[in-house]
Amino acid sequence: MLIVPEREIADLMTRQAAFDAVEQVFAAMASGDAYNFPVVREAIGHEDALYGFKGGFDRAGLTLGLKAGGYWPNNLEKRGLINHQSTVFLFDPDTGKPSAMVGGNLLTALRTAAASSVSIKHLARSDAKVIGMIGAGHQAAFQLRAALEQRAFEKVIGWNYHPEMLPNIEKVANEAGVPFQAVELDEMTEADVIISITSAFAPSLMANHVSAGAHIACMGTDTKGKQEVEAALLARASVFTDEVAQSVSIGEAQHAVAEGLIQESDVAQLGAVINGTDPGRISDNQITLFDGTGVGLQDLAVAASVVDLAVRKGVAIEVNF
């Protein structure tokens, strides 16, 4: 079995490699060549932590495995560790033997950012100039770096529940040479693309905060009860997702479906747009929304890619198992 420790990931996995892996696995899901297993996600009753498993099998790439991990909200304050902790395990699909264990923290951040970036590539207007960020935590910086590579953005606007955290994304904008402005939520109407990346259980972005023609990537809702945007916004938008079953059960679409504003059949796979079987955006006035729930196959795809890189660079640790 090969081990790729967390400490090696930053020197191995690039944003482009993560983007390519996620785009390919979305396409494989839509074509039926890959599928995810049911998600297990539980509050464990200790340290206020949420812990779970996401797995799947990609027949095309012969990638089988799971990610184990979750959210420990007290980590940063108590221990100086990031709150999201995860490890990816890969198995030989021919024998079932474990083939690799890969540090999943940075990979999770990169694949989550890659997912919204893929949605921007395929759904946002080509002339998008202003990108809005809702959320300014650890993951928001990854989101913005990846998103800025998809369009010639001329301005970044941002809002956060805790405004003192906005310098986290202002720094990313400055590094990219793009001006940044802190705004109120009702000023998000200026944005052509909006990324929401919070862990909220109540909506912040409302339907009237979004202008015609905008693309929204909702990246924080991955658990029953979580909600980042008003359900009415999904009724205004053409809704796309990584996996429909997750979108309507633990993703942003769960609320709009529960309120009867949309049906499961109204939610399309982003992979179908990538494959060309769904037209995606069909007009400049259309609002598109990507519900990024986070699927196990994303983690497996980036983990398999990083294992190959680690072997080539001679940094994978081989152990008998």
Side-chain angles (χ1 to χ4, degrees), residues 53-100:
F53 305 91
K54 290 183 175 182
F57 178 47
D58 182 351
R59 293 187 189 90
L62 289 179
T63 306
L64 173 69
L66 61 89
K67 181 176 80 169
Y71 185 72
W72 271 255
N74 304 316
N75 268 4
L76 188 60
E77 183 177 347
K78 286 186 175 181
R79 304 173 184 89
L81 300 172
I82 65 171
N83 293 337
H84 288 93
Q85 293 290 326
S86 60
T87 305
V88 181
F89 298 88
L90 300 176
F91 298 85
D92 183 336
D94 294 328
T95 65
K97 291 184 63 177
S99 58

Side-chain angles (χ1 to χ4, degrees), residues 24-243:
Q24 289 166 14
V25 83
F26 281 173
M29 287 168 58
S31 63
D33 291 327
Y35 67 99
N36 293 283
F37 305 150
V39 174
V40 175
R41 191 168 176 85
E42 298 289 338
I44 65 173
H46 179 72
E47 287 288 339
D48 299 320
L50 290 171
Y51 180 69
F53 305 91
K54 290 183 175 182
F57 178 47
D58 182 351
R59 293 187 189 90
L62 289 179
T63 306
L64 173 69
L66 61 89
K67 181 176 80 169
Y71 185 72
W72 271 255
N74 304 316
N75 268 4
L76 188 60
E77 183 177 347
K78 286 186 175 181
R79 304 173 184 89
L81 300 172
I82 65 171
N83 293 337
H84 288 93
Q85 293 290 326
S86 60
T87 305
V88 181
F89 298 88
L90 300 176
F91 298 85
D92 183 336
D94 294 328
T95 65
K97 291 184 63 177
S99 58
M101 181 173 73
V102 184
N105 293 345
L106 180 57
L107 284 184
T108 298
L110 288 170
R111 68 84 157 151
T112 305
S116 63
S117 185
V118 169
S119 83
I120 293 169
K121 173 185 174 181
H122 291 280
L123 294 173
R125 296 195 329 269
S126 59
D127 64 347
K129 299 300 183 187
V130 178
I131 181 167
M133 294 294 301
I134 296 177
H138 177 75
Q139 180 62 40
F142 289 92
Q143 292 285 328
L144 183 55
R145 286 191 190 97
L148 288 172
E149 295 172 347
Q150 293 306 316
R151 294 290 187 273
F153 290 110
E154 298 175 354
K155 184 179 182 180
V156 179
I157 60 177
W159 177 90
N160 193 55
Y161 284 105
H162 303 286
E164 66 273 13
M165 296 177 67
L166 287 172
N168 292 339
I169 53 176
E170 182 177 12
K171 179 182 177 182
V172 174
N174 290 340
E175 288 170 352
V178 182
F180 173 84
Q181 180 184 351
V183 298
E184 298 299 326
L185 282 168
D186 59 6
E187 296 175 273
M188 278 289 160
T189 52
E190 182 184 0
D192 305 304
V193 172
I194 300 171
I195 297 176
S196 182
I197 181 68
T198 71
S199 56
F201 282 81
S204 51
L205 186 70
M206 312 304 279
N208 63 357
H209 295 157
V210 178
S211 293
H215 171 65
I216 307 105
C218 302
M219 304 304 299
T221 298
D222 58 1
T223 303
K224 193 170 183 60
K226 275 189 174 182
Q227 185 176 11
E228 295 193 282
V229 306
E230 184 182 20
L233 177 55
L234 278 76
R236 284 186 65 197
S238 298
V239 181
F240 301 85
T241 190
D242 38 25
E243 184 174 78

